[in-house]
Amino acid sequence: MHELGIVMNVIEQVDNVAAESKVEKVTKVIMEIGEVSTVIPDLFTDAFNWAKKKTNYLKDAELELIILEGMTYCRDCKGTYRTVEFAKKCPHCGSMNTYLVTGDEIKIKSIEVV
Amino acid sequence: MKEVRTIVLSKSVFEENDKEADALRLYLKDKGVFLVNVMSSPGAGKTTTLISVIKELSKFYRVGIMEADIDSDVDAVKVAKETGCKSIQLHTGGMCHLDAGMTTQGLTELGLDDVDIVFLENVGNLVCPAEYDTGAHLDMMILSVPEGDDKPLKYPLIFQKCELVLINKIDTLPYFNFSLDKVKQNISYRNEKSFVIPISAKLGDGIDEVVDYFKTKIQNIKTK
């Protein structure tokens, strides 16, 4: 359900761009999804393949997901580490004074059209 | 065969929504209406809390409420009956959140000429509503004691976004392994500036402090 809401959003935006750019159809949608963005790639792809049938330009579009690694920075020891493995607590010094640098992206990178 | 070309968009999925939300926020400010987006998991006590707060707040200001649910109108009916304030029910049609477009439609239906503050009771969910900016001036959430003091660690985004966090059902503290100090610490890891008020919506504890908080916010938007 969560993925579907985002898919509908993507599809509407891409369909609008396709209409404005006067293309025949969209053949591929390339997206960047962060590892800790809460989007599950398989569910997202399923939702995309279901929803694209109802569009004007995306009926034959393929979806490519580029997964971006989640990295967290520690303000105390200035180190970085993999978010998926260690979450909020820095594995180098044990501090909780950390913040996510990359990994929460849900971006439409580009589309391929004919 | 036709040549394939690439169009680079490179934008967040939420960018369009964020623009709509910013426009709505400005429009409401011009109208002198303060919009509050209320989020929580199902059963944290959104409706009960809002009823307690609105009963007090409506002695000073004109209050409106929009109840968002996937289906049904039980909340809107209940709040209207208990508080007498203007209320409408929004159906999200299966979606797990509200976006700025749906919020704008709801506000148009509610009418903005006779309200000072509008509460938007979002769908009960700690994930999706946090991703969509509704155009509210204040994002708040209600976390209840039975849910546990570790929730800010498990649902980062919602705690990062919310400026006000109410800890509800504090009357049940003796029965749960829940530490107010620990939850405050966990919330501050996500957002150093967030303001925490412990309450019991059922018994009325802390409600005065919440009402004072909103009074200050409404005055600010009306004088700026």
Side-chain angles (χ1 to χ4, degrees):
Chain A
M1 196 155 78
H2 169 65
E3 278 72 13
L4 185 58
I6 299 170
V7 159
M8 297 307 275
N9 216 316
V10 170
I11 277 179
E12 195 189 320
Q13 289 188 44
V14 173
D15 225 24
N16 287 341
V17 170
E20 283 164 21
S21 314
K22 301 195 170 31
V23 305
E24 189 187 312
K25 64 179 184 178
V26 177
T27 53
K28 198 177 205 179
V29 176
I30 303 169
M31 293 193 58
E32 290 177 334
I33 305 288
E35 249 182 343
V36 288
S37 66
T38 73
V39 164
I40 299 168
D42 280 357
L43 287 180
F44 194 84
T45 306
D46 285 350
F48 181 87
N49 287 332
W50 174 79
K52 71 181 184 185
K53 292 172 201 149
K54 296 166 203 292
T55 63
N56 293 320
Y57 296 95
L58 282 89
K59 287 188 178 71
D60 300 321
E62 181 195 335
L63 177 68
E64 181 185 333
L65 298 181
I66 300 168
I67 308 297
L68 302 179
E69 196 176 43
M71 291 301 288
T72 298
Y73 176 78
C74 174
R75 285 194 188 92
D76 288 337
C77 76
K78 322 282 178 211
T80 54
Y81 62 89
R82 294 221 343 110
T83 312
V84 172
E85 224 170 314
F86 301 104
K88 185 74 189 165
K89 193 172 178 179
C90 175
H92 309 301
C93 72
S95 168
M96 293 287 269
N97 191 11
T98 59
Y99 66 89
L100 188 72
V101 183
T102 57
D104 62 350
E105 301 80 358
I106 307 178
K107 277 174 78 176
I108 309 171
K109 189 168 184 274
S110 58
I111 59 176
E112 290 180 6
V113 297
V114 290
Chain B
M1 201 179 131
K2 280 190 182 168
E3 199 184 330
V4 175
R5 59 190 177 98
T6 300
I7 301 176
V8 177
L9 285 101
S10 192
K11 63 175 186 178
S12 163
V13 166
F14 305 113
E15 200 177 295
E16 296 291 318
N17 182 66
D18 290 349
K19 276 187 212 153
E20 275 178 63
D22 285 338
L24 177 60
R25 222 174 341 263
L26 276 176
Y27 173 74
L28 290 172
K29 194 164 178 261
D30 272 355
K31 288 276 240 176
V33 176
F34 190 72
L35 179 64
V36 185
N37 177 23
V38 187
M39 297 176 280
S40 84
S41 45
K46 279 192 299 299
T47 309
T48 311
T49 303
L50 286 174
I51 287 171
S52 303
V53 170
I54 291 170
K55 271 184 185 166
E56 280 306 306
L57 200 58
S58 55
K59 291 175 187 164
F60 310 94
Y61 292 103
R62 298 167 301 171
V63 185
I65 184 160
M66 303 200 292
E67 298 282 348
D69 262 310
I70 288 171
D71 204 353
S72 98
D73 61 356
V74 287
D75 286 344
V77 171
K78 190 171 163 193
V79 175
K81 201 174 138 196
E82 297 256 346
T83 65
C85 82
K86 206 172 163 188
S87 91
I88 59 162
Q89 183 81 42
L90 302 176
H91 284 164
T92 60
M95 287 296 175
C96 46
H97 63 272
L98 279 178
D99 60 19
M102 288 187 255
T103 307
T104 308
Q105 276 177 23
L107 287 167
T108 309
E109 199 186 313
L110 183 78
L112 291 170
D113 293 334
D114 53 356
V115 285
D116 301 303
I117 179 167
V118 176
F119 289 96
L120 171 62
E121 187 177 335
N122 216 314
V123 182
N125 180 331
L126 295 184
V127 182
C128 322
E131 286 173 343
Y132 291 86
D133 188 344
T134 57
H137 302 100
L138 175 76
D139 287 311
M140 68 174 268
M141 76 159 297
I142 304 170
L143 176 71
S144 65
V145 168
E147 292 171 72
D149 52 26
D150 58 348
K151 288 300 162 290
L153 301 178
K154 293 187 172 176
Y155 299 90
L157 188 62
I158 195 159
F159 287 92
Q160 203 175 305
K161 275 194 67 178
C162 286
E163 202 182 314
L164 174 66
V165 181
L166 305 183
I167 308 294
N168 192 21
K169 307 189 189 179
I170 52 164
D171 48 311
T172 68
L173 273 171
Y175 308 102
F176 291 93
N177 192 9
F178 185 102
S179 155
L180 273 179
D181 287 339
K182 201 188 264 176
V183 83
K184 281 179 184 169
Q185 173 89 75
N186 287 341
I187 291 167
S188 75
Y189 286 145
R190 295 306 178 194
N191 183 347
E192 285 164 14
K193 291 180 192 136
S194 68
F195 193 68
V196 179
I197 308 178
I199 63 162
S200 165
K202 190 178 147 197
L203 303 180
D205 298 350
I207 297 299
D208 286 349
E209 198 183 336
V210 180
V211 170
D212 285 344
Y213 183 93
F214 287 128
K215 278 188 194 165
T216 314
K217 290 284 180 186
I218 298 167
Q219 278 156 12
N220 282 348
I221 202 166
K222 292 220 180 263
T223 50
K224 262 178 198 165

